[in-house]
Amino acid sequence: GKWTVGETMQHVIDTERVFTFRLLWIARGAPDPLPGFDQDAWVPHSGADGRTPAALAEEFSAVRAATVALVASLPDEAWARRGVAGGGEVTVRALAWRTAGHALHHLRLFRERWGD
């Protein structure tokens, strides 16, 4: 039931996209709640194991650069906006922290399991 390293990396990329879409949605004041997503249902359809580690790393870098640009562009008043995503209320600020923390969580797991 474990994911491969490639699948895990694609999961991190996909999740960053989902979290930043939620962040953008709420930051811009959209009133509608956003659905959750089932990470386990997404992984088999990701095609991650057919990709090279370099391609996954390049994609992660591009997605992270887009995340940083989005976060840097937010006006001050956006940070406290609240919305519903995945069944729970969340702020833009919390989504920014959650996005960064999710990638760090998986990096920590990689290091614990396979070393530096």
Side-chain angles (χ1 to χ4, degrees):
K2 299 281 185 187
W3 296 339
T4 66
V5 172
E7 287 172 335
T8 302
M9 192 64 203
Q10 188 66 61
H11 158 73
V12 169
I13 294 164
D14 289 349
T15 301
E16 181 133 345
R17 284 187 168 119
V18 169
F19 285 1
T20 55
F21 176 75
R22 290 173 174 178
L23 185 153
L24 177 63
W25 183 266
I26 295 167
R28 298 296 192 252
D32 300 318
L34 292 166
F37 75 104
D38 182 350
Q39 63 188 15
D40 293 316
W42 285 31
V43 168
H45 304 287
S46 71
D49 287 335
R51 302 183 64 204
T52 66
L56 289 164
E58 184 178 334
E59 183 178 0
F60 176 75
S61 292
V63 170
R64 178 49 60 95
T67 298
V68 169
L70 172 61
V71 167
S73 76
L74 294 175
D76 290 342
E77 62 273 11
W79 290 99
R81 289 194 182 116
R82 295 180 171 279
V84 175
E89 187 176 57
V90 67
T91 64
V92 170
R93 183 179 315 282
L95 284 165
W97 281 104
R98 195 175 290 173
T99 301
H102 180 257
L104 291 172
H105 163 73
H106 283 284
L107 178 60
R108 187 171 32 254
L109 291 176
F110 277 140
R111 286 185 172 150
E112 286 174 6
R113 291 180 182 149
W114 296 293
D116 288 331

